[in-house]
């Protein structure tokens, strides 16, 4: 199992959630850790959700998810790009 850390790499100044570069969303054991998460936008979460089960669990070394380095929120006018990091727990 992995801890998934999504860190804001780029944030548009008009982002409705107010994300700033360096802010994080942390997922452990399939749960968002609110005490370690800076803020949570429902639109960004919608973009992240399809990836989280794959990122949080062991996969084959050849699986494409192991090469996933960034995820972008779906807002075309004020996009936020999250870098993806995993730590084994």
């Amino acid at each position: 199992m992995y801890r998934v850390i999504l860190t804001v790499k780029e944030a548009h100044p008009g982002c409705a959630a107010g994300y700033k570069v360096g802010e994080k969303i942390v997922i452990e054991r399939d749960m968002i850790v609110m005490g370690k998460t800076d803020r949570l936008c429902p639109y960004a979460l919608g973009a992240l959700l399809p990836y989280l089960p794959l990122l949080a669990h062991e996969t084959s070394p050849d699986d494409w998810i192991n090469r996933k380095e960034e995820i972008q929120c779906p807002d075309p006018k004020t996009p936020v790009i999250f870098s993806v990091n995993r730590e084994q727990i």
Side-chain angles (χ1 to χ4, degrees):
M1 179 148 289
Y2 290 91
R3 173 182 300 112
V4 180
I5 303 167
L6 304 163
T7 305
V8 177
K9 181 178 179 180
E10 296 177 32
H12 189 281
C15 168
Y19 277 117
K20 306 267 186 284
V21 171
E23 291 186 315
K24 297 179 181 352
I25 299 172
V26 179
I27 296 96
E28 294 178 2
R29 293 179 168 60
D30 297 327
M31 300 294 294
I32 296 167
V33 182
M34 296 308 292
K36 297 179 182 179
T37 295
D38 294 302
R39 63 183 76 228
L40 190 58
C41 171
Y43 300 110
L45 185 59
L48 301 171
L49 278 175
Y51 300 101
L52 295 180
L54 295 170
L55 289 167
H57 294 89
E58 193 69 39
T59 57
S60 165
D62 297 331
D63 198 302
W64 64 272
I65 198 67
N66 297 314
R67 296 183 302 276
K68 190 72 175 160
E69 296 178 359
E70 296 179 345
I71 302 174
Q72 179 174 323
C73 85
D75 189 331
K77 293 183 181 179
T78 59
V80 173
I81 299 173
F82 296 88
S83 64
V84 176
N85 295 293
R86 301 183 336 161
E87 300 173 351
Q88 197 153 22
I89 53 174

